[in-house]
Amino acid sequence: FAKKVIFAAGTIATTKLIMDYLKIKKEVKINHHPRLIAVYFGRKKIDYNLDFTPSLLQLLEKKKNNYFTADLRPGNKLITDSMVELSRFLYPIKFLINFVKDRLIFSNILMAPKFSDIFIKKEGTKFSVYTKKNNVIKNLKEANSKIFSFLLKNKIIYPIFKTHFPGIGSDFHYFGTIPINGKTKLSVNEKCQLKGNRNIYIVDSSVFNFSKNKYPLGIVMANARRIGNLLS
């Protein structure tokens, strides 16, 4: 009965609602950027004056499919607190981690969406979100090996590192299930209107394919603003 319905619920929630509305029973792939968290020990103290320091350096693989991006940033209280939350066994040595945090270099290693391993499908009256256990961890560790070698060769770190794989989908970058100008009915046009449904708009990351950009939030916000201006 509404004149316009605008979905901005996030990729998984929006996709479930639209699949249900369109009665889509087939499996749909949810794109994301698999990630590995790594920490290296620097040879020198890193000086910074922000509570949450942006990346000092980004490393990109020189392959056409943009194999990985490594986002390197120095240790700070926010990051060290996150470390303890992820690995509770580190809590007893939290004071030591904070003592040496200015020598710690952390990295989010993010893979291209071709390595995505999350799927959604409606089975009966319920939806299932699942993985198929591909070799994403192997690829992430290969990327980390290249980053470690680069940092070591340039005498930035000591020859030690620690990695943590927080699990499939822990990157929280979900996208691409209802793409702009897609070929199926699970797609939208340039105005983000659902195919065949001119009164339904989708303005979250469902509509994008972030094959190269590993930090998509700004683009999602800009597009939502664009559609907001269009509707107003």
Side-chain angles (χ1 to χ4, degrees), residues 8-28:
T11 294
I12 293 178
T14 293
T15 302
K16 288 170 68 175
L17 290 164
I18 298 299
M19 287 177 68
D20 205 32
Y21 170 68
L22 296 177
K23 296 180 172 57
I24 292 175
K25 302 289 186 181
K26 68 177 183 178
E27 175 184 270
V28 174

Side-chain angles (χ1 to χ4, degrees), residues 92-231:
I93 59 170
K94 182 179 178 180
F95 74 96
L96 181 61
I97 294 171
N98 282 320
F99 180 74
V100 299
K101 68 180 174 62
D102 293 337
R103 282 179 173 265
L104 298 178
I105 301 173
F106 292 85
S107 178
N108 262 333
I109 302 167
L110 300 170
M111 304 293 288
K114 66 174 289 185
F115 297 101
S116 298
D117 191 28
I118 305 178
F119 302 85
I120 184 170
K121 186 177 183 180
K122 188 172 185 181
E123 298 174 336
T125 59
K126 295 183 179 180
F127 281 90
S128 295
V129 178
Y130 52 92
T131 70
K132 294 185 178 181
K133 307 294 183 184
N134 65 16
N135 60 348
V136 64
I137 299 176
K138 176 178 175 289
N139 291 311
L140 283 165
K141 288 186 175 181
E142 286 178 359
N144 176 67
S145 177
K146 294 177 182 181
I147 296 158
F148 174 71
S149 297
F150 171 82
L151 295 173
L152 193 63
K153 180 181 177 182
N154 287 277
K155 299 180 180 180
I156 297 171
I157 60 171
Y158 288 106
I160 53 174
F161 68 86
K162 175 67 177 173
T163 60
H164 172 70
F165 179 61
I168 297 291
S170 62
D171 45 88
F172 303 116
H173 295 179
Y174 310 132
F175 58 91
T177 51
I178 311 171
I180 295 174
N181 290 331
K183 295 180 180 180
T184 70
K185 62 180 181 178
L186 200 63
S187 62
V188 297
N189 62 17
E190 292 91 340
K191 296 180 180 179
C192 289
Q193 296 166 301
L194 184 65
K195 184 174 284 189
N197 295 266
R198 294 282 177 175
N199 296 331
I200 296 178
Y201 294 78
I202 301 172
V203 297
D204 55 34
S205 54
S206 310
V207 303
F208 288 108
N209 176 25
F210 296 111
S211 59
K212 292 186 177 180
N213 188 332
K214 305 295 196 305
Y215 303 94
L217 184 58
I219 294 174
V220 175
M221 293 172 68
N223 182 62
R225 184 180 179 86
R226 176 180 74 93
I227 300 302
N229 287 334
L230 181 68
L231 293 174

